[in-house]
Amino acid sequence: MNALFNNYSRRPISLVEGKGTIVKDSEGKSYLDFTSGIAVLCLGHSHPSLVKALQEQSEKIWHTSNLFESPGQVKLAESLVKDLHLDHAFFCNSGAEANEAAIKMARKHTGKHHIITFENSFHGRTFGAMSATGQEKIHKGFGPLVDQFTYLPFNDVKRLENSIDDSIAAIMLEVVQGEGGVNPITDEFAEAIQKICSENDIILIVDEVQTGIGRTGTRFAFEQTALKPDLVSMAKGLGGGFPFAGVLGTSKLYDTFSPGSHGTTYGGNPLGVAVSQAVIDTVFQDLFLEEVKEKGAYLVNKLNEVFSNEPVIVRGKGLLIGIDFGDVEVAPFVSKLEEAGLLVVSAGAHVLRLLPPLTVSYEEIDQAINILESVVLSQLVK
């Protein structure tokens, strides 16, 4: 019996080496990695600047705890909030932790406990983050959840407007629901949420764990909408592969997290800060972000050409792309694509999700398209 718990449905390959978009397994077979560790490896595998940052910091100091001053954290925070309406940062270790911190901050700041989230959302698997997640399959088997979360249909303005009352502390959402099927927010819904939050003094939490750090072609996905969040959670791409996460917030929340109100042993550790700073220095460049948009548009156009004669919907932003096959289960596609040398993930039962590194080349996109065309179309015909 395996010494590990059985909570993952692991694929029968072991990846042992990676460079850029290409990974190799223990048998020496190469693959195009269009998972990026589920949107984590924004600069691909073993990016030289990240390797250099980690190596250099590892020879200085690994850990000091947050009992002491951290100039590196200050610099990183300044880099993240530059030219945004956000003012402060708190660093932690994972997306679930970041969302837990945001939930705690919203409840403490307002003195209220009721939070609206949305069906098919995903915010993590700790109790608070799981309770915020609008998917029954994530809740199943764990007993009573944290109460006072209401799940509403995503992009339904009328249902949202009819659900607002004086008990609401916060509205929490993803700009593009990643795990829930790659569902982008509509302009109308974003405008309605912002109006409701502004007029009712409701805290707006935007979960950018998957969409942030350049994944959609801007620093954060909310920048492409009318949303002006009070709190933004981030992880995945923030560390480029090193476990690192955080929350950005506005100045009105500064006093809410007073000394002793919240903390983390490893959050903002020197190794993670060094790697994250290298990520931000690369990704938060206008030319880099513009290239992400262009590559995303190229990928979407190619996919629409491939599936032009099929009842398939391609959607997403930047390099977070979903291919919706309607009633067709995509699990067999994932396995067949892996055999053909392309790694992808699903987003629910019927959506293939493509998450290549932001550094993916056009040649690699073309290679992936060719594999998708030969494998998936042949499966659809059966």
Side-chain angles (χ1 to χ4, degrees), residues 138-196:
I138 304 298
H139 306 159
K140 189 175 180 181
F142 293 105
L145 302 176
V146 178
D147 63 4
Q148 297 195 47
F149 282 93
T150 295
Y151 316 121
L152 297 179
F154 195 51
N155 286 325
D156 189 329
V157 173
K158 187 59 66 177
R159 282 289 301 277
L160 177 62
E161 290 175 340
N162 291 339
S163 300
I164 301 302
D165 58 35
D166 291 340
S167 73
I168 309 297
I171 296 175
M172 183 176 189
L173 73 149
E174 302 155 275
V175 175
V176 181
Q177 293 183 328
E179 301 294 326
V182 191
N183 306 310
I185 195 171
T186 64
D187 290 341
E188 180 188 18
F189 199 54
E191 290 166 5
I193 288 175
Q194 186 57 54
K195 184 173 186 290
I196 287 168

Side-chain angles (χ1 to χ4, degrees), residues 272-316:
V273 166
V275 175
S276 184
Q277 187 67 60
V279 169
I280 297 307
D281 288 346
T282 300
V283 174
F284 281 20
Q285 299 294 323
D286 291 342
L287 181 58
F288 186 95
L289 292 169
E290 189 59 37
E291 288 179 351
V292 172
K293 289 181 182 177
E294 292 171 357
K295 290 173 185 175
Y298 181 83
L299 176 54
V300 167
N301 288 337
K302 288 289 186 178
L303 289 169
N304 281 325
E305 289 176 9
V306 167
F307 296 110
S308 60
N309 295 319
E310 303 294 335
V312 168
I313 298 172
V314 179
R315 58 176 179 259

Side-chain angles (χ1 to χ4, degrees), residues 96 99-100 103-104 107 115 117 123-133 139 145-147 149 151 172:
N99 283 328
E100 289 280 351
I103 291 166
K104 286 178 67 175
R107 290 177 63 158
I115 296 177
T117 62
H123 299 293
R125 295 179 185 272
T126 51
F127 256 93
M130 176 174 66
S131 301
T133 295
H139 306 159
L145 302 176
V146 178
D147 63 4
F149 282 93
Y151 316 121
M172 183 176 189

Side-chain angles (χ1 to χ4, degrees), residues 81 84-90 105 109 201 203-204 228-232 247-258:
V81 302
L84 293 175
H85 69 285
L86 302 159
D87 303 289
H88 307 290
F90 163 78
M105 200 179 299
H109 181 80
D201 199 23
I203 297 296
L204 176 56
K228 198 171 182 180
D230 300 292
L231 291 166
V232 174
V247 179
L248 302 180
T250 59
S251 59
K252 75 178 183 182
L253 293 156
Y254 180 76
D255 291 329
T256 301
F257 264 16
S258 55

Side-chain angles (χ1 to χ4, degrees), residues 34 298-315 321-326 328-330 333-334 337 342 344 350-354 365-381:
F34 271 48
Y298 181 83
L299 176 54
V300 167
N301 288 337
K302 288 289 186 178
L303 289 169
N304 281 325
E305 289 176 9
V306 167
F307 296 110
S308 60
N309 295 319
E310 303 294 335
V312 168
I313 298 172
V314 179
R315 58 176 179 259
I321 305 299
I323 311 171
D324 190 336
F325 289 89
V328 178
E329 298 276 346
V330 298
F333 298 162
V334 174
L337 289 167
L342 176 63
V344 300
H350 308 290
V351 179
L352 280 183
R353 190 171 16 154
L354 305 183
I365 291 174
D366 287 341
Q367 291 170 3
I369 290 294
N370 289 337
I371 295 172
L372 280 161
E373 183 173 17
S374 62
V375 170
V376 176
L377 286 184
S378 65
Q379 292 291 305
L380 288 173
V381 170

